Amino acid sequence: MAKIFAIANQKGGVGKTTTTVNLAAALAALSRRVLLIDLDPQGNATMGSGIDKRSLPGSVYQLLLGLSPMPSVLRRSETGRYDVIPANRELAGAELDLVELERRETRLKGAIAPYLKDYDFVLIDCPPALSLLTLNGLTAAHGVIIPMQCEYYALEGLSDLVNTIKQVHRNLNHDLEIIGLLRVMFDPRSTLANQVSAQLESHFGDKVFKTLVPRNIRLAEAPSYGMPGVVFDKSSKGAQAYVAFAAEMVERFSGDVPATAAPLLAIEPEPMIEPAA
Ligand code: ATP
Ligand code: MG
């Protein structure tokens, strides 16, 4: 049965979409059957997978509103070799439309449930908000991957995200746990980045993924070619990091029960990272 992960952080531009697209393609390269769900009206994961968001016959919007079943909105990323439930601006209206409906937080979970046997991994790219769309992503998932930049304000906002995850865990989805923090756009020459990175490790232990994703221009260039970075330039440092991250995920989730996953509440975001003077 598929393992389902939401890639979430309500901060904008922290690398959620880059992580989702590249992890999807790297898992596919490891012969895993992958479904990527774009839950962001920006449609960046759709475009980055080589699918034109401006000419979609159907999208995650129809799926959430129960207007179309999953097979009729499903697309294939030919560049990444994974399936995609795409999104575009139409999804921006879903927030309002969903409020009117019953089971508004469990719509995505219900819509994908019959098709999970076809996949090993399902990755959900969440929008930069703790919105009803993100709630649908968290309710459908087994775990949350949180991309973070190693900067002074790295932890700001993390407590809001963790509180939302706790509420979803309590009220809607008892399976949900935080799988880990992924350090992205890492600059190894920056003293501050190294300090914050080390402090994340000491605070959060095995909730911090071993893989560090460096800042790498090839990852940023790839979407304009409609390709995941791991396909666009396999030899780049960014691509290699996402391949290592995919291997880390496969190792951790090859069995049914994640061997190293600590309980949900192990992350306590209170202590602020204080960079040394
Ligand atoms: P949003 O909150 O708007 O959805 P996001 O969290 O999905 O943003 P991305 O779109 O993945 O973030 O990344 C933001 C920008 O940073 C993009 O231009 C992307 O190409 C670039 N970027 C992401 N990761 C890296 C990296 N490791 N190296 C260099 N550039 C990166
Ligand atoms: Mg994004």
Side-chain angles (χ1 to χ4, degrees):
M1 197 54 133
K3 277 281 169 198
I4 309 172
F5 300 108
I7 293 74
N9 189 332
Q10 77 276 26
K11 273 196 188 183
V14 293
K16 294 179 287 297
T17 301
T18 304
T19 297
T20 311
V21 166
N22 283 288
L23 179 59
L27 287 168
L30 293 171
S31 305
R32 266 44 186 201
R33 300 167 304 162
V34 181
L35 170 65
L36 183 156
I37 303 176
D38 191 351
L39 261 192
D40 187 343
Q42 296 179 97
N44 292 344
T46 299
M47 295 293 277
S49 300
I51 297 164
D52 189 352
K53 66 179 178 183
R54 291 158 299 193
S55 57
L56 298 175
S59 73
V60 72
Y61 175 82
Q62 279 78 23
L63 195 67
L64 289 169
L65 292 197
L67 303 173
S68 306
M70 185 170 134
S72 65
V73 302
L74 198 65
R75 302 287 301 270
R76 181 81 180 160
S77 169
E78 300 299 343
T79 54
R81 289 192 278 137
Y82 51 83
D83 286 350
V84 179
I85 299 178
N88 59 22
R89 286 181 58 82
E90 195 180 16
L91 185 60
E95 288 282 339
L96 277 179
D97 297 334
L98 281 170
V99 169
E100 310 273 305
L101 301 179
E102 301 214 327
R103 303 181 293 103
R104 59 190 176 196
E105 301 95 350
T106 58
R107 294 249 143 194
L108 181 66
K109 184 187 174 90
I112 63 175
Y115 309 99
L116 293 177
K117 60 183 180 327
D118 298 337
Y119 299 100
D120 300 308
F121 289 93
V122 177
L123 304 177
I124 306 172
D125 186 28
C126 293
L130 295 174
S131 59
L132 199 42
L133 289 171
T134 296
L135 281 185
N136 264 273
L138 296 177
T139 304
H142 300 120
V144 189
I145 296 169
I146 306 174
M148 293 182 87
Q149 285 176 252
C150 291
E151 55 191 21
Y152 182 52
Y153 293 114
L155 292 187
E156 201 182 74
L158 187 60
S159 56
D160 292 335
L161 177 58
V162 171
N163 285 334
T164 301
I165 293 168
K166 283 181 185 172
Q167 281 177 20
V168 172
H169 178 265
R170 198 178 308 126
N171 301 322
L172 295 159
N173 176 6
H174 296 308
D175 291 340
L176 188 65
E177 62 177 338
I178 294 171
I179 303 301
L181 306 175
L182 177 66
R183 293 162 289 178
V184 299
M185 297 189 228
F186 187 74
D187 178 0
R189 292 162 307 178
S190 155
T191 307
L192 176 61
N194 280 295
Q195 286 169 341
V196 172
S197 170
Q199 283 168 320
L200 284 175
E201 279 175 347
S202 68
H203 277 302
F204 300 124
D206 71 357
K207 285 286 178 188
V208 181
F209 290 109
K210 290 193 215 77
T211 307
L212 270 161
V213 179
R215 187 173 285 282
N216 179 255
I217 188 69
R218 303 300 269 168
L219 290 174
E221 288 169 348
S224 61
Y225 296 85
M227 282 185 196
V230 297
V231 178
F232 176 61
D233 185 352
K234 285 188 181 61
S235 62
S236 66
K237 287 219 158 63
Q240 287 171 0
Y242 276 112
V243 169
F245 180 45
E248 198 179 337
M249 289 294 288
V250 167
E251 187 186 309
R252 198 148 146 185
F253 294 99
S254 49
D256 273 340
V257 181
T260 53
L264 171 77
L265 306 185
I267 285 191
E268 280 304 334
E270 305 313 334
M272 276 306 296
I273 300 275
E274 294 287 352

